[in-house]
Amino acid sequence: MNSKLFLFVIAGLIMLPYFTYDVLAQPLQKVNADVIEFDGTFATVEISWKDNGASYYEVGCVSCMPNLSDTTTENLLVLSNVTAFANGDALLYVVAYDKNSEIITATQIIVKLA
């Protein structure tokens, strides 16, 4: 067997496992955040997104004191007691995970509360 062909075949066999992972569509391309209620300090925010096959999602609030987060397998989550930074913006996030608990993608959402 030609040595170049042999090296090509060996390289292909080494690389084969890298190309056999599940392919998922990218979730979180469009995330919606709606303020359901706001009392001047705390808000209830509904966050929704198109479900494209992630195993589960983590949704949280960075601007909240203390920070809060929750997980769901659905494509919608309601966060309560959301607070904003001094400028009135609440910083939220959604992280999509695969079946191996590896991050597929993440996105930030800024919502004006004040």
Side-chain angles (χ1 to χ4, degrees):
M1 179 182 270
N2 183 327
S3 63
K4 288 183 181 179
L5 178 61
F6 179 73
L7 289 174
F8 181 75
V9 170
I10 295 299
L13 291 174
I14 290 171
M15 295 301 292
L16 185 62
Y18 294 104
F19 298 108
T20 60
Y21 293 109
D22 293 336
V23 176
L24 295 173
Q26 283 292 323
L28 306 180
Q29 291 177 356
K30 182 166 171 69
V31 177
N32 296 313
D34 298 310
V35 178
I36 298 170
E37 184 179 334
F38 181 56
D39 67 6
T41 303
F42 297 101
T44 301
V45 180
E46 179 182 274
I47 304 168
S48 61
W49 55 92
K50 184 177 179 184
D51 184 6
N52 285 343
S55 291
Y56 68 97
Y57 303 89
E58 178 184 1
V59 180
C61 177
V62 176
S63 60
C64 298
M65 290 297 174
N67 298 130
L68 49 103
S69 70
D70 202 356
T71 58
T72 183
T73 57
E74 303 299 320
N75 61 343
L76 176 132
L77 191 81
V78 176
L79 288 177
S80 299
N81 299 321
V82 173
T83 57
F85 293 122
N87 66 359
D89 291 342
L91 179 57
L92 311 173
Y93 65 89
V94 181
V95 181
Y97 292 90
D98 67 12
K99 63 184 177 188
N100 298 318
S101 296
E102 298 290 330
I103 295 174
I104 299 170
T105 190
T107 191
Q108 296 181 62
I109 307 103
I110 297 175
V111 178
K112 186 64 123 174
L113 296 184

